[in-house]
Amino acid sequence: MFSMTGYGKGEYKAEGIDMTVEIKTVNNRYLDIAVKSPKVFNAYEEVIRTAVRKKLTRGHADIYINLVDKREKPKNLYVDAPAAQSWVAAVQKLKELFPALEDDFTLCALLKCPDVVRQEEVQGADEELVAALSAALNAALDNLNAMRLKEGKKLEEDMLSRMATIQTLVESICERAPLVAADYRKRQEERMKEILSGVDYDEGRLLTEVAVFVDKSNIDEELTRLKSHIAQFRSICQEERVGRKLDFLVQEFNREANTVCSKSNDLAVTNSGLALKNEIEKVREQIQNVE
């Protein structure tokens, strides 16, 4: 089981390349990836996203890539011919305006003029940078998943602990449910005796009324399904990516608990049902953190 919240860092330092990849993840219904990287990796953003998708299925992931490239690389210079021609034309115009002034304009002087010669910008990452990115990114993802797995273990322990409480509440309702009809019949008999003041009452009618009450308040099916859900919950927790399954299952828990409370005509069952709903809600909140 993985938590959707975590942090991972990966580094690559070799041959003048110093690269750091950091990944932070938080809860999200779907997988949402945001990449912040140097311009040199603009063309590789989809490659980065593909690598992340192999390790994450849900959550919002912020990826930060920092690069310091200390390698000695040949300088590619670009000569802007139109700019050079403009400078030469300007010098010739000045010579015509001021013929008495000494002309010391040379090729070296032209090189110093702005925009005549400039260094070409790197258009993309070379193979060494791509290999460094892959190594740092995979290390960050592995460290992230190690942390998410650790946090997921804590979530699993908490939810299974609450599931034990839910099981105890369901068992207490199972013990109380068969007694509800008997209590109802007893209360109705006492009520009739009080109202009729010693006059005989129709036993058959009382039994019919009790039978109708039992039918309306019967929660055997709901309790059976709750027991089944508890077993399924524990089984699903043994898997890795369980968030969606558990989210669906906890909805079924809520449905059965609501039905138990709505059918209940007994204070003890109602109280246990409300406590059951409270524990289910706590489990649901924890599931929102599970991938």
Side-chain angles (χ1 to χ4, degrees):
M1 182 182 296
F2 288 92
S3 168
M4 278 194 282
T5 303
Y7 170 82
K9 181 178 180 180
E11 295 180 311
Y12 179 92
K13 295 182 180 181
E15 300 177 354
I17 299 175
D18 188 349
M19 185 179 299
T20 302
V21 176
E22 295 179 276
I23 305 177
K24 296 179 181 179
T25 59
V26 294
N27 302 355
N28 199 56
R29 187 174 181 181
Y30 305 104
L31 180 59
D32 180 37
I33 304 170
V35 181
K36 297 180 181 179
S37 66
K39 292 182 179 180
V40 71
F41 292 124
N42 283 352
Y44 293 89
E45 184 167 326
E46 186 55 35
V47 175
I48 296 170
R49 292 176 179 274
T50 300
V52 174
R53 292 189 192 104
K54 292 179 180 179
K55 299 292 181 72
L56 305 178
T57 59
R58 294 176 68 196
H60 174 81
D62 286 310
I63 303 173
Y64 304 92
I65 301 173
N66 296 307
L67 170 65
V68 177
D69 191 352
K70 302 176 182 178
R71 296 175 298 169
E72 293 185 3
K73 295 179 289 184
K75 306 296 184 182
N76 296 322
L77 300 179
Y78 170 74
V79 177
D80 191 334
Q85 290 171 353
S86 296
W87 280 105
V88 172
V91 171
Q92 290 175 345
K93 184 65 175 179
L94 289 171
K95 285 172 62 178
E96 294 174 2
L97 293 174
F98 307 99
L101 294 179
E102 181 182 357
D103 179 9
D104 61 350
F105 187 71
T106 64
L107 186 60
C108 289
L110 180 61
L111 287 172
K112 296 177 183 179
C113 294
D115 299 326
V116 172
V117 178
R118 60 179 181 269
Q119 184 176 345
E120 289 185 326
E121 294 183 358
V122 177
Q123 298 301 315
D126 55 33
E127 292 183 2
E128 291 181 359
L129 286 181
V130 173
L133 173 62
S134 177
L137 178 60
N138 286 323
L141 287 169
D142 289 342
N143 291 332
L144 169 69
N145 277 348
M147 179 177 180
R148 295 195 311 125
L149 185 61
K150 184 177 180 181
E151 293 298 317
K153 186 65 177 177
K154 294 179 181 178
L155 292 174
E156 179 184 355
E157 291 173 355
D158 180 76
M159 290 190 294
L160 289 178
S161 173
R162 297 190 184 282
M163 199 53 53
T165 302
I166 289 173
Q167 183 175 5
T168 300
L169 290 169
V170 170
E171 289 173 351
S172 69
I173 295 174
C174 288
E175 292 177 1
R176 176 60 187 168
L179 305 178
V180 173
D183 287 352
Y184 178 79
R185 174 172 178 169
K186 183 179 179 181
R187 290 197 304 271
Q188 291 299 98
E189 285 180 344
E190 292 175 352
R191 181 184 176 190
M192 287 184 176
K193 288 178 181 178
E194 181 180 351
I195 293 174
L196 297 176
S197 301
V199 179
D200 293 336
Y201 56 87
D202 188 347
E203 180 73 18
R205 183 174 181 179
L206 175 61
L207 292 175
T208 300
E209 185 175 343
V210 171
V212 172
F213 171 81
V214 170
D215 183 63
K216 288 183 177 180
S217 61
N218 186 279
I219 55 175
D220 289 346
E221 290 184 10
E222 288 76 11
L223 294 174
T224 299
R225 284 194 287 269
L226 281 170
K227 292 177 181 178
S228 174
H229 294 342
I230 293 171
Q232 289 179 53
F233 191 97
R234 289 170 172 160
S235 176
I236 293 173
C237 282
Q238 304 302 314
E239 303 173 18
E240 285 191 351
R241 267 71 180 187
V242 299
R244 295 184 188 278
K245 290 183 179 180
L246 293 181
D247 189 45
F248 173 77
L249 186 59
V250 81
Q251 294 179 41
E252 298 301 309
F253 268 102
N254 265 321
R255 185 176 291 108
E256 305 304 338
N258 287 334
T259 304
V260 168
C261 289
S262 65
K263 285 186 175 182
S264 172
N265 284 285
D266 179 77
L267 182 60
V269 173
T270 299
N271 288 338
S272 294
L274 293 174
L276 180 65
K277 291 180 63 175
N278 183 53
E279 288 299 317
I280 292 171
E281 177 61 21
K282 291 177 180 178
V283 172
R284 189 196 67 80
E285 291 175 356
Q286 292 289 50
I287 290 174
Q288 305 312 307
N289 299 316
V290 177
E291 182 181 357

